[in-house]
Amino acid sequence: MKELSVYDFDKTIYNGETLNDFYRFYLAKKPWKIYTVFFQLWYFLLYVLKIISLEKLKEKFLRFLNGESISDIKDLTEKKWKKRENKINPWVKDEVLKNKKETEILVAISASPTFIIADKLKSMGFDVVIGTDFVFEGEIFHSHITTKNCKNIEKVRRMDKWAENSNIEYRIINFYSESIDE
């Protein structure tokens, strides 16, 4: 039985909404893509009207990255994290160090796209990062979700699937989230 410390990401580790902040950062670097805002608003309206699912909204939202290479996205995410380091909640670093001594595995789980958060979380000491996964065909991004949106009960399913694939049983010792629903 492995003992785990599990953290949600947005509004727990990170004081904000990762995807929205990444989008704003992206537009600051590539202002000619501002036209995508109109699509974002349209798809958000369809979501609010319950015409499309949250997964479909997230896929459509991330269309602004379609055609970008893995290396360009990696470069953008690194620059984003350097600029937004101050949005990592100050208590997290000490808590991670404490948890490393108390538990065997540190897990971060989030509805945010894995490709945006994984490297940052690994550098902070997390052993496992579970997020919403997207398609990279070869070296190019495509805004198609390959997993369900990692939110609410899906987080439990994804933790269980990770444990099954890793052939471990686990017990959560510490759990951090801003929301009782998470």
Side-chain angles (χ1 to χ4, degrees), residues 104-116:
E104 298 167 81
I105 302 173
L106 258 65
V107 177
I109 191 161
S110 178
S112 292
T114 309
F115 68 89
I116 295 176

Side-chain angles (χ1 to χ4, degrees), residues 26-49:
Y26 180 87
L27 289 179
K29 297 291 183 193
K30 299 186 178 196
W32 61 91
K33 292 260 189 148
I34 191 70
Y35 72 89
T36 61
V37 168
F38 299 109
F39 296 107
Q40 313 304 11
L41 293 171
W42 171 250
Y43 289 117
F44 183 71
L45 176 63
L46 293 178
Y47 171 71
V48 168
L49 295 173

Side-chain angles (χ1 to χ4, degrees), residues 2 11 22 24-25 27 40-41 51 53 63 83 85 96 112 115 143 157-158 160 167 175 179:
K2 300 279 187 184
K11 299 182 192 145
F22 182 76
R24 283 192 296 275
F25 180 80
L27 289 179
Q40 313 304 11
L41 293 171
I51 295 171
S53 67
R63 288 179 69 191
K83 185 170 180 159
E85 183 72 33
V96 164
S112 292
F115 68 89
S143 64
R157 289 184 189 118
R158 296 284 299 283
D160 289 344
N167 200 28
F175 187 83
S179 171

Side-chain angles (χ1 to χ4, degrees), residues 72-170:
D72 286 346
I73 291 172
K74 192 170 193 67
D75 183 55
L76 281 167
T77 57
E78 286 174 11
K79 288 177 180 171
K80 184 255 191 219
W81 287 118
K82 284 180 184 167
K83 185 170 180 159
R84 293 290 180 209
E85 183 72 33
N86 64 326
K87 290 189 83 172
I88 300 293
N89 284 313
W91 60 269
V92 172
K93 183 179 179 183
D94 291 336
E95 203 65 20
V96 164
L97 291 173
K98 184 180 113 187
N99 292 161
K100 281 283 196 186
K101 295 174 187 168
E102 294 175 348
T103 57
E104 298 167 81
I105 302 173
L106 258 65
V107 177
I109 191 161
S110 178
S112 292
T114 309
F115 68 89
I116 295 176
I117 62 173
D119 288 344
K120 178 62 178 170
L121 287 164
K122 295 281 185 171
S123 76
M124 293 173 64
F126 284 86
D127 303 300
V128 177
V129 177
I130 301 170
T132 302
D133 296 323
F134 285 80
V135 172
F136 283 89
E137 290 180 5
E139 290 288 312
I140 304 300
F141 178 82
H142 295 279
S143 64
H144 299 291
I145 293 177
T146 60
T147 59
K148 287 191 175 187
N149 190 39
C150 191
K151 189 168 178 67
N152 301 328
I153 192 66
E154 186 60 24
K155 288 185 178 183
V156 175
R157 289 184 189 118
R158 296 284 299 283
M159 281 281 300
D160 289 344
K161 179 115 177 116
W162 162 78
E164 180 183 321
N165 291 344
S166 302
N167 200 28
I168 65 168
E169 292 182 24
Y170 67 90

